Amino acid sequence: MLSFEENEQLVRTGPGTPMGTLMRRYWIPALFSTSLPEPDCAPVRVKLLNEKLVAFRDTDGRIGLFDERCPHRNASMFFGRNEENGLRCVYHGWKFDIEGNCVDMPSEPPESNFKRKVKIESYPCMERGGVVWAYMGPAELKPAFPELEWTLVPESHRFATRHIQECNWLQAFEGGFDTSHVSFLHRGDVPAGGDRVLPQRYEVLPKEFGFVSAAGRAGKPGELNWMANVMFMPFHKLISRHGGPDAAIGAHAWVPVDDENCMIYSIEYHPERPLREKEMERSKNWRYIHAEPIPGTDRTVANRSNDYLINRGVQKSGKSFTGMPGFGVQDCGIQESMGSISDRTREHLGRSDTVVIRLRRQLLEALNSMAQGLPLPGMRPESYRVRSAGFTLPESESFESSVDDFIRADARAPEAA
Ligand code: FES
Ligand SMILES: [Fe+2]
């Protein structure tokens, strides 16, 4: 349980809010690169951290990300003309380059220097891993890009989708680290494996990049099977690795759109080899079935308006604990059911909520560090070079002293900026 004030601090991400200010210190996924397929293509609307924005690719292929409102008289730049290295507002023709400089102001007399005084709010962007990332914080505090492994592998090694979840980012993010729900919410859809058994031990280890959380479940006598998830600041996860060292790795990012919606990026990748058709099929059909977007939108086929296609017969039969189709839908449906913004003042947290409690503490501590001007976690790009893992240890062996050997990653050098 959190106080009302703590909850408010964590869930609000608009400009000037504590969490909004913290998130603006990190690179934020804004859209897929494929949404801006070629130079001078149509601009797209983007909403990030409660800000309405417009993204476009200029004549040289560079990305611009603007406040949606033209600084002249607030017309939407979405309707703008994307032409010759700039986006031109169609109301009175003011044109801006990707840095937000006004490069043409045809509505004013030619001798006027007014255009030199006007800028449109713009955010620097870079493309990594098929995603356009934005930095929305103070220029002097801009960090180097985090070396998330899925952004460093070749395109053939990665498969990504995204969809909107209609609730606050934090309850969705917490769901990603809620260890015990897998044994219930997803029962029936979990492939054969240890996740059906309740964990015996929980571990959360703070790290430079965020934390590693793990659940240890009983294996052979005297052994524990550990599933270790990785949390990267401020909203990333690597899902514990099932199926041995050659298994693909799943990743998510829960990006606030506004306080009542978040965009979930779901990535499957392999560090060393191209993904197999079968692995992409798994990503599409097994885990995210019906969490696929309705074509042309980020909204999912199963959603609040159709009760997530719940099938009461399947629920009753026990083939699926929920009767909802697929992991993604189950998570989405149940997390949205907690309310647009979950009221954490009325919770009753138990031992199985250990990781959720620690996740909140980690974020509150980061807010505290920021308020005091102390260094923030996750600012050193190389610190992100770890992987999630699944491994077995003798019961007597310390998780803490062993885990680093399993999560170390040999990522490639970053691509050129
Ligand atoms: S409102 Fe954009 S140029 Fe006038
Ligand atoms: Fe889940």
Side-chain angles (χ1 to χ4, degrees):
M1 156 179 170
L2 291 179
S3 69
F4 175 79
E5 291 73 22
E6 286 170 327
N7 201 34
E8 286 289 299
Q9 279 195 339
L10 293 178
V11 298
R12 305 281 174 197
T13 62
T17 59
M19 184 51 74
T21 306
L22 180 68
M23 283 192 181
R24 284 169 175 75
R25 298 282 300 275
Y26 298 86
W27 286 92
I28 312 275
L31 68 164
F32 284 131
S33 290
T34 49
S35 301
L36 296 171
E38 60 193 27
D40 292 337
C41 61
V44 298
R45 289 191 182 97
V46 175
K47 196 171 182 192
L48 279 182
L49 313 187
N50 290 270
E51 293 188 45
K52 286 184 172 177
L53 307 168
V54 169
F56 69 104
R57 191 183 290 280
D58 77 2
T59 312
D60 290 340
R62 300 168 303 178
I63 304 289
L65 185 65
F66 289 170
D67 182 349
E68 185 179 347
R69 291 160 304 173
C70 175
H72 179 210
R73 277 171 42 211
N74 297 327
S76 172
M77 296 298 292
F78 169 74
F79 298 107
R81 298 172 60 89
N82 189 2
E83 53 182 34
E84 291 158 42
N85 278 334
L87 190 61
R88 190 185 293 280
C89 177
V90 290
Y91 203 178
H92 311 95
W94 293 17
K95 179 179 168 183
F96 303 90
D97 67 14
I98 58 161
E99 280 156 9
N101 303 305
C102 185
V103 291
D104 194 19
M105 196 180 265
S107 61
E108 293 295 304
E111 65 276 13
S112 162
N113 71 350
F114 188 32
K115 78 173 183 193
R116 271 180 232 118
K117 299 185 184 145
V118 178
K119 278 196 93 168
I120 189 166
E121 179 99 49
S122 80
Y123 295 122
C125 292
M126 64 167 90
E127 293 181 82
R128 286 283 189 281
V131 171
V132 175
W133 302 69
Y135 176 72
M136 300 167 71
E140 67 279 12
L141 296 174
K142 187 171 80 177
F145 192 79
E147 294 178 12
L148 286 162
E149 193 171 41
W150 67 260
T151 68
L152 301 177
V153 298
E155 203 181 329
S156 57
H157 295 32
R158 175 180 62 233
F159 178 78
T161 60
R162 71 174 203 174
H163 66 278
I164 278 192
Q165 187 162 315
E166 296 176 79
C167 68
N168 183 259
W169 78 280
L170 184 60
Q171 67 215 55
F173 189 42
E174 287 174 350
F177 288 90
D178 177 326
T179 329
S180 58
H181 84 282
V182 181
S183 308
F184 302 95
L185 185 76
H186 302 314
R187 198 196 297 165
D189 285 324
V190 181
D195 279 358
R196 294 182 193 194
V197 184
L198 273 183
Q200 293 195 341
R201 282 187 21 211
Y202 299 98
E203 294 278 359
V204 186
L205 300 177
K207 295 280 178 189
E208 188 184 344
F209 50 78
F211 64 67
V212 176
S213 68
R217 292 177 164 88
K220 291 189 196 137
E223 290 183 347
L224 283 178
N225 296 325
W226 288 99
M227 303 308 296
N229 297 304
V230 173
M231 180 275 202
F232 295 119
M233 286 293 288
F235 42 48
H236 300 275
K237 179 190 179 188
L238 295 180
I239 304 166
S240 58
R241 202 173 188 186
H242 293 261
D246 192 45
I249 300 175
H252 289 296
W254 286 267
V255 184
V257 172
D258 53 34
D259 291 342
E260 300 186 346
N261 294 277
C262 64
M263 187 71 77
I264 305 177
Y265 288 79
S266 301
I267 303 100
E268 198 83 10
Y269 80 97
H270 198 288
E272 283 108 22
R273 61 162 172 79
L275 284 184
R276 299 179 179 127
E277 194 56 40
K278 201 172 68 190
E279 288 164 332
M280 290 191 263
E281 279 299 305
R282 180 184 78 155
S283 177
K284 283 186 235 176
N285 292 337
W286 169 68
R287 188 177 298 156
Y288 306 123
I289 186 168
H290 293 297
E292 288 272 320
I294 297 165
T297 77
D298 292 307
R299 205 171 149 78
T300 52
V301 172
N303 58 53
R304 181 181 284 170
S305 70
N306 53 26
D307 284 331
Y308 314 96
L309 301 176
I310 188 169
N311 182 325
R312 296 290 185 178
V314 172
Q315 187 185 52
K316 202 167 209 111
S317 75
K319 271 188 249 154
S320 150
F321 197 62
T322 57
M324 294 175 191
F327 267 47
V329 172
Q330 292 158 7
D331 284 324
C332 181
I334 217 64
Q335 290 158 13
E336 289 182 3
S337 80
M338 297 156 79
S340 296
I341 301 179
S342 183
D343 178 0
R344 293 176 177 76
T345 64
R346 58 191 304 282
E347 295 175 332
H348 299 82
L349 302 179
R351 188 166 160 262
S352 63
D353 300 301
T354 303
V355 184
V356 170
I357 294 165
R358 292 292 292 273
L359 186 156
R360 295 173 186 176
R361 197 184 304 158
Q362 171 100 8
L363 293 172
L364 286 167
E365 280 168 9
L367 289 179
N368 202 21
S369 298
M370 183 180 68
Q372 294 183 45
L374 298 171
L376 296 179
M379 286 290 125
R380 204 171 58 90
E382 314 85 89
S383 71
Y384 285 70
R385 289 193 176 218
V386 296
R387 293 177 189 156
S388 54
F391 52 90
T392 300
L393 289 177
E395 239 168 28
S396 55
E397 203 164 311
S398 140
F399 173 83
E400 185 170 357
S401 55
S402 309
V403 66
D404 286 345
D405 292 338
F406 294 99
I407 63 171
R408 204 169 288 140
D410 278 311
R412 283 147 206 270
E415 295 156 22

